[in-house]
Amino acid sequence: MNGLRKLNPRVLIIAAVILSLICAGLIYKYLKDKEAEAQRAAQLAKRTTFRSVVVTTKDIEPGVTITADMVKVERMEVSNTLPDAAISTTELIGKEVHSTIAAGRQVPRKEIVKDLINAFVANIPKDKRAITLRIDDPVGFVAGFVKPGTRVDIISYNTKEPGRPASGKMVLQDVLVLAMGSKDIKASKDVEEEEQKNNAAAAANLVTVAVTPRDAVMLRVVSQESKLTLVLRPKRPSDDYVVGTRYEGQRVAMPMPMAGMQAPQGNLQPPVQVIRGTNVGR
């Protein structure tokens, strides 16, 4: 204390001023750092409020190859986006999805089929084989309601010919549909536009189904002898199978019928029977 008393009051004042300035500088720097940190946090929050995600422009069904016009990128608030939503259309174009995605929905990455070949093969039941058939009449797709995953009955039929009636029969029942159309038809610079359209139209009549090895052979032979059409089965599980489905229409008269003879009339088989387990009904 005696030492301080001996100091010149002017020196003490100068020292106090210097210490005050140092403290003020430290406080100012601290406040500026806090302000800068708050601004960086606000900018970061502003940047992460919105996020780019892929949404569909139309309904996408399983088994359909995704094209550029089916998806687009939109910016959405982070709170409204799915955590695993695709963020680029390149993740989707040329691929398929596992389940139906409605128009305007985000596409979760878990729904994207990574490997089309392995994914398709994995859908074939282990006791079945996949076979592709041509359905000659577009009506055979039941107004477009036949889709991968549905179950159908397959009918073979022949049109009228001279001396032969139109006829048809159900050759297989409760068949699983694996795919529709063909994914292998691609545009080529060397192929004319009209030819591409014809190829696409031809592919639209293809359906791939899962059947037993024996039925696969039978279907291939039947498809060479007659035309095929499909009948859509109910969605609910059913053990109903019908028998006696063959039908023959009215015979067409021969070009030069013999005198005194008439063309045979249509031949209807006995009433259709329905088999439910071990019960048979009409």
Side-chain angles (χ1 to χ4, degrees):
M1 295 291 294
N2 294 330
L4 291 175
R5 290 173 182 172
K6 294 179 179 180
L7 291 175
N8 191 324
R10 182 178 297 179
V11 174
L12 292 175
I13 293 172
I14 293 173
V17 171
I18 293 173
L19 289 174
S20 299
L21 291 175
I22 293 174
C23 290
L26 292 175
I27 293 172
Y28 177 79
K29 184 178 184 303
Y30 174 79
L31 293 177
K32 289 296 289 184
D33 290 344
K34 284 294 184 181
E35 183 181 358
E37 184 179 348
Q39 290 178 351
R40 287 195 298 269
Q43 291 175 355
L44 181 62
K46 185 177 181 180
R47 286 199 301 268
T48 57
T49 299
F50 291 88
R51 175 173 173 238
S52 296
V53 293
V54 177
V55 298
T56 57
T57 59
K58 59 183 68 175
D59 294 349
I60 300 179
E61 301 287 343
V64 176
T65 302
I66 298 174
T67 56
D69 64 322
M70 297 181 181
V71 289
K72 65 179 181 179
V73 176
E74 284 189 1
R75 288 187 62 80
M76 296 184 178
E77 292 186 7
V78 173
S79 59
N80 294 332
T81 61
L82 300 176
D84 66 334
I87 62 174
S88 172
T89 56
T90 56
E91 297 182 61
L92 292 166
I93 294 175
K95 298 180 181 178
E96 298 178 3
V97 290
H98 292 288
S99 57
T100 301
I101 299 180
R105 299 287 185 178
Q106 300 170 52
V107 183
R109 287 192 174 99
K110 66 180 181 180
E111 289 294 332
I112 304 172
V113 177
K114 303 300 181 184
D115 188 332
L116 293 181
I117 296 177
N118 290 336
F120 177 79
V121 173
N123 289 329
I124 304 174
K126 65 179 182 179
D127 59 335
K128 298 292 193 295
R129 304 291 187 271
I131 182 172
T132 300
L133 305 170
R134 184 176 300 282
I135 304 303
D136 299 277
D137 186 354
V139 177
F141 289 111
V142 195
F145 288 104
V146 175
K147 300 289 184 182
T150 57
R151 290 187 171 270
V152 298
D153 297 336
I154 301 177
I155 294 176
S156 68
Y157 65 98
N158 293 296
T159 54
K160 290 182 179 181
E161 295 179 7
R164 178 183 177 186
S167 63
K169 65 178 179 179
M170 194 171 289
V171 293
L172 276 181
Q173 301 178 51
D174 197 18
V175 176
L176 174 65
V177 176
L178 295 174
M180 306 289 296
S182 170
K183 297 185 287 293
D184 297 327
I185 292 183
K186 301 182 183 296
S188 170
K189 295 181 180 179
D190 301 327
V191 180
E192 295 295 335
E193 182 178 354
E194 189 63 30
E195 184 177 348
Q196 293 177 22
K197 291 180 180 179
N198 293 338
N199 288 341
N205 291 340
L206 301 179
V207 59
T208 301
V209 295
V211 296
T212 65
R214 181 182 181 280
D215 288 339
V217 176
M218 180 270 293
L219 280 176
R220 182 54 64 209
V221 174
V222 170
S223 67
Q224 299 299 315
E225 297 177 341
S226 57
K227 298 181 179 181
L228 300 176
T229 190
L230 304 176
V231 180
L232 186 63
R233 292 179 67 88
K235 185 175 182 179
R236 60 180 177 81
S238 173
D239 61 351
D240 290 2
Y241 293 85
V242 298
V243 298
T245 60
R246 183 175 180 83
Y247 175 83
E248 289 190 359
Q250 186 174 2
R251 292 181 181 274
V252 179
M254 296 290 288
M256 298 180 63
M258 297 179 63
M261 295 188 65
Q262 296 181 350
Q265 299 299 312
N267 178 24
L268 284 176
Q269 295 296 317
V272 169
Q273 291 180 316
V274 179
I275 301 176
R276 297 183 178 86
T278 58
N279 300 321
V280 179
R282 295 183 182 277

